[in-house]
Amino acid sequence: MDRMTALEVFVAVAETGSFTRAAVRMRISTAMATLHIRRLEEHMGVGLFNRTTRRVDLTEDGRQFLDHARGVLDAFATAERAMRPGAGLSGRVRLDAPASMGHAFIVPALADFHRLHPNITLDLSLGDRGTFFRIDGFDIVLRAGEVPASGWRTIPLGMTRLIFLAAPAYIERHGLPADPDGLKHHRCILYASTETPGGNPWTLIHHGRRMKLRPPAAFTFNDGAAIMTATRAGLGIAQNLEMLARDDLQSGRLVQVMPEFGVAELAVVLMSAQERMALPHVRAVLDFLSSRIDWALDRR
């Protein structure tokens, strides 16, 4: 068995969800792709895929093996490139971030990143998903909130808070709520996911206690950037991360509402597996994200 080719076929099948599509990517026959996987499974002593007539899914063993397989292939590619005359840092790094944070901070910094590392390809996944802390399939993830127990190393970037926001035009038309109970008389803009289609509850401090409140929703979005746009347009009151609202608050486009009911601070972190951090091109992306971007955070 050609173990390197078997690993490449395994990753291709995992990423495409199909032996046929993986074979096309690898420029081999479907029968040969199937043979590589069968021999790899026999060598490993575990099943890597659940196969049905309609789809191919990773088993639990397959999911655990996928990151290791990618690591081996990336390490080999990095070593191969390093032997070329005049080679600099190169490779592919898979980065996942919440959409609103990615659009606000990472995308504007990509030109600077490319000047520093022209041979590193950054696969940037931006999405506000219900499985917010899912980290498999990525080299680096950016997260805000409670860090899940994953075994990954975390690099703290700083702290932010959830705050209530409204545009001056909205306040002029509708006034300000005196307290959370007053929100029921206002138009509220909520984040919604597939798990909470009516809108996620807001977290706040009321009478010294942390509590959750789901106000009536005038609008719901599954994207933090859309919430900010609607709030600037005066469509209602929203709750969002202070780091995303800093420029709007400083310019007067938005005003903080009910500041006395703000919630506890949230940590903003980068996360990466130890073996991924050891790769020079992954380390270069981590260093750039942690030192070259102003995340508008409290650095305490």
Side-chain angles (χ1 to χ4, degrees):
M1 179 181 64
D2 182 340
R3 294 184 185 178
M4 194 64 67
T5 301
L7 290 180
E8 290 177 321
V9 174
F10 166 67
V11 171
V13 174
E15 291 180 346
T16 63
S18 163
F19 281 87
T20 301
R21 288 191 291 270
V24 171
R25 178 193 290 189
M26 295 291 298
R27 299 183 180 181
I28 59 177
S29 68
T30 303
M32 182 59 69
T34 303
L35 179 61
H36 276 294
I37 296 302
R38 185 171 75 246
R39 288 178 174 173
L40 182 61
E41 289 178 322
E42 290 172 353
H43 176 75
M44 300 291 293
V46 297
L48 299 173
F49 294 101
N50 292 314
R51 303 160 174 84
T52 68
T53 55
R54 292 190 174 185
R55 57 187 298 164
V56 178
D57 293 317
L58 287 165
T59 63
E60 183 58 36
D61 289 322
R63 280 191 290 272
Q64 293 181 19
F65 185 58
L66 179 59
D67 281 342
H68 296 293
R70 282 173 169 157
V72 170
L73 294 175
D74 284 350
F76 180 78
T78 299
E80 193 175 38
R81 285 188 292 266
M83 298 305 295
R84 297 171 186 166
L89 283 177
S90 62
R92 183 177 299 273
V93 179
R94 295 169 292 270
L95 168 63
D96 183 64
S100 53
M101 296 166 67
H103 283 296
F105 299 104
I106 299 177
V107 173
L110 290 181
D112 187 26
F113 175 79
H114 181 67
R115 282 192 294 271
L116 288 172
H117 303 293
N119 296 319
I120 294 180
T121 300
L122 192 62
D123 289 341
L124 179 57
S125 171
L126 300 178
D128 293 309
R129 51 184 62 82
T131 53
F132 189 65
F133 283 115
R134 182 183 173 189
I135 58 178
D136 56 301
F138 299 103
D139 300 300
I140 304 169
V141 297
L142 171 69
R143 295 292 183 258
E146 185 178 352
V147 178
S150 65
W152 281 31
R153 286 193 58 186
T154 61
I155 300 173
L157 296 176
M159 307 295 291
T160 190
R161 297 183 304 146
L162 284 167
I163 61 175
F164 299 102
L165 301 160
Y170 176 86
I171 296 171
E172 184 177 346
R173 290 194 304 269
H174 301 283
L176 287 170
D179 55 40
D181 291 336
L183 288 171
K184 61 186 177 183
H185 303 298
H186 283 266
R187 300 174 62 81
C188 298
I189 304 170
L190 275 63
Y191 175 85
S193 64
T194 54
E195 290 86 356
T196 56
N200 286 359
W202 287 350
T203 303
L204 50 88
I205 301 296
H206 195 201
H207 298 312
R209 293 189 301 111
R210 190 183 182 98
M211 62 174 289
K212 291 186 179 296
L213 170 72
R214 180 178 290 174
F219 298 94
T220 66
F221 298 94
N222 68 342
D223 176 73
I227 291 175
M228 293 298 292
T229 299
T231 309
R232 293 187 199 104
L235 298 182
I237 297 173
Q239 186 182 60
N240 217 328
L241 296 175
E242 187 176 34
M243 64 187 293
L244 299 173
R246 181 183 67 170
D247 291 344
D248 290 305
L249 291 171
Q250 290 178 349
S251 68
R253 288 189 296 267
L254 292 177
V255 175
Q256 187 174 352
V257 177
M258 300 187 303
E260 64 273 26
F261 295 99
V263 302
E265 292 181 321
L266 301 174
V268 180
V269 301
L270 295 168
M271 300 175 60
S272 181
Q274 183 71 42
E275 63 270 17
R276 308 303 296 157
M277 293 179 68
L279 298 173
H281 59 296
V282 175
R283 185 72 244 180
V285 175
L286 282 168
D287 290 343
F288 179 87
L289 294 172
S290 60
S291 64
R292 299 295 291 263
I293 294 178
D294 178 5
W295 295 97
L297 297 170
D298 184 342
R299 295 281 181 170
R300 288 181 299 169

